[in-house]
Amino acid sequence: MNSQHGVRAKPVRRHSGDLDPLSSAQIYYGADRDPLKDPKHRAYTNVFEIGRPQLQRQSSQPQTRRASQDESALKARKFLIPVEQTLKELLSREDTDENWQITIDDDGPKVLSVGTLGSRGLKKADIRGTYMLSNLLQELTLAKSFGRDVIVLDEARLNENPVSRMSRVISTAFWDNLTRRIDASNIEKVALDAKDWTSDPRPRIYIPRGCPEQYEYYSKLAKKRPEIRLDVQWLPKGKVTGEFVRDLNAAPGLLAIAMEEYVDKNGHKDLRGVPFVVPGGRFNELYGWDSYMESIGLIYCRRVELAKSMVKHFIFCIQHYGKIFNANRTYYLGRSQPPFVTDMALRVYEEIKEEDGALEFMKRAMQASIKEYYGVWMSDPRLDHVSGLSRYRPFGVGVPPETEASHFTHILRPYAQKHGLTNEQFVEGYNAGKIKEPELDEYFLHDRAVRESGHDTSYRLENVAADLATIDLNSCLYKYETDICRTIKTLFNDSLEMPAEFCTEEMAPGYKEVSATWDRRARRRRALMEKHMWNEEKGMFFDFNTKLQKQSTYETATTFWAMWSGAASPQKAAIMVKKALPRFEELGGLASGTEESRGPVGISRPNRQWDYPFGWAPQQILAWGGFLRYGYRDEAERLAYKWIYMCTKAFYDFSGVVVEKYNVTEPIDPHRVTAEYGNQGSDFKGVAKEGFGWVNASYIYGLTIVNTHMKRALGALTPWDTYYRMVGEHESDFAVV
C-alpha cells in the first residue's frame, strides 16, 4: 500500500545498499541482518564484556514521561545493542509492574542509555519516554526471537510515527502470525480441542463424503504417524439435526475444510491446506464473520490471495456442509454466523477480475451464496413465515458442549436439585432426552441463537435471541439479494445455472437463476423491514420480535447495517444520521448500544461485552461503509478518526497493544474491558504478535477513509475535539485536501 492509505510509512531516504530501517522484523532481524556476520561489525562484540556495566543513565536532563524522541538529535541515529543484557536491564528498570510490557502505568525513570553504532558502543545516547522504551522492548524481544545476540538498531524504529508503526506491524507481522493452514504440518495440534471434555481427548477430524481425497490423505498420515493418535472419520450420513450433533459430542472433532493440490520439492503431487486468517492468536479454526471483516483489511494490505482463499473455504463449507460455521468444529454443525459471502467475493473479484479463472471464482461464490440463502436463512427454523423475515435460530439438543465446564452451573443447579441429582448426572439425563425441561430447552435455544448472531453476549439478545428477526441479519440478506441480482445480470448474462452441489434438496440440478427474481426479493425485504423494523420517532431500525409480533425497544448500532446494505431509503438514512447517530457516538467511535437500552449494571447484573460502553470493529466498519454509501463522508471521517485515535492511543501508551474490543467512552485505557471473556490480545510478553483480526482490518480500512491532514493529526495523537477546533480556526487552510 502507498503512504496515502497509511499502510506503509513514508520511505526513508538512504544510500544504495542500506536496509530500510522500517523493514519487517523477518527482514530486519533475519539471518541476512546478523551484524556478527559483517566483517566491519565483528569487532563490536569485544565492547560488550560480561559483567561490565553498560546501561547507565548518562544524562542529567529532566525526565520526560512520554517524549517521542531525544530532541537534541539532529539526525537519525543507529545504536549497537547487546540484546539479552539490554533486555534484562530495560525490564528491571522500567517494567515496574512486572508484566513484560512498558506502559504509562509503569513508574520507572523513563530513560535508558545505550551505545551508539558510530562509537562502537562506547558513547551513549538516551532513549526517552514510554513510547520509545516500549518500542525498544518490542524490538529486543523480536531480535531475541530471531536468535540475535547483538543488533544494530535504527532509531527510526523507536520514534516511528505511531500510526505508521501500527499499520506497518499489522501489514508485515500481524496478518502472517494469524494465518493458518490445516494439514499434515499441524493436524495433531489444531485437531486437538481444548473444549473436548471426554475421557480420552485426541486429535480427530471428520471428512465430508464428497472429499475422498482428504480421507485418503489423513488416513495415510494417521498410519504413518501413529504417535499423534489422529482419528480420521467420515462425517456420518444423514440429515444434520440437533440429535445428530449431540451424538457427535461423544467424539468431537475438527470439520475438514478446503485443501489444494501442489507439487512438493521432490516433484510429487500432494495436498496442503488452503490458508486462512484466524481472529486471534489462540485460535486455529476458520471462523465465520470474523473472516469477512479480516478480508477487508487484507485486501487494502494487498493480501488479496489470502482473502480469496477464505472465500474458497466458505464455498467449500457451503458445498459440503450446507452452511458457513461459527467455526469448523463438530459442535458447530447446527450453527452459522452472519452471512457476508457475496460482498466478500465481490471485493476479491474487483481485485482479480483481469486474472484467469476470476469469473469462475465469482460464479462458484454466487452459487454457494444462493444455496446458503435458501438452505439456511430462508427455510425452517430460521425463517419466520408470518413476518417474512429471518432470525438467528440454530438447532441443538441439550447443553452446548463448547463452553467451559462450569459456564452453565448457575443455570443448571436448580434443575439438578429439583431432580435430586448432581449437575453431572442431570446434564447426562437431560442431554439424552430422559429428563424433560421445556424452560431449559427455551433457554438454550436462545443461548445458541446469541452465539450464531456473533453478538455473544448482550442484554439485547438474552432470553429472546431466537425470536428476533434482527436488523443485522435481514440487512445482510438484503445485501445478498441485491448482490446476487446485480451479479447475475452483469456478469452472467442474466442466467446462472445451478449445479447439483449447490442445490438444496428442493431444487432440481441445472435450473437457472435470473436477476428479476432476486430484485423482487430485495424489494419485498426492504418493504418488510420498513414495515416491521423502522421507527420513525426514534429515527432508526429495531429488531422485530416474531413471537410477540412487535418491535424490540433495544437501541443497537446494528441499525446502521441497513445503510451499509442499502436497505435504508435515502430519506430514512438522513433521519438516521440526524437522530440515531448521536445516540451511539462516543469518544472512541460507536458504542454497540445505548446506555439507556442496556440498563443498570452491577454485581447481580454484570456488563455484557456487546453492550454499552463497548465498541467493536465490525460495527465501525459497516457504519463507515453505510455513511459513505449515502454520501455522509464527514460523518464517516469523524467516526473513523475517533476509532483510529482510540486504537492508536492505546497502542502508544500500552506497549503496542491491539485488542478484540474497546471501551469507547474511556480516554485513558480503552483496551481494558470489564466483561465476560476478558479481552483477547492484551496478554503478551514483550511484543504483541497478532493484534486481533477485525481490529487490524478496521485500522487499515479506517486509514483509507480519513484525509491526509487527519492522518497527520492522528500521528501526533491529537484528539478529535482538538483537531476539529484546529480545522475550524484555519478552515481556509484545509479547504482542499
Side-chain angles (χ1 to χ4, degrees), residues 297-308:
L298 289 169
I299 290 169
Y300 280 111
C301 288
R302 298 292 181 256
R303 305 290 294 273
V304 179
E305 280 302 312
L306 192 47
K308 180 181 178 183

Side-chain angles (χ1 to χ4, degrees), residues 376-397:
V376 178
W377 304 112
M378 294 301 290
S379 60
D380 293 328
R382 293 175 178 85
L383 176 64
D384 174 51
H385 295 276
V386 177
S387 67
L389 299 170
S390 297
R391 308 163 292 192
Y392 298 114
R393 202 176 176 93
F395 48 77
V397 172

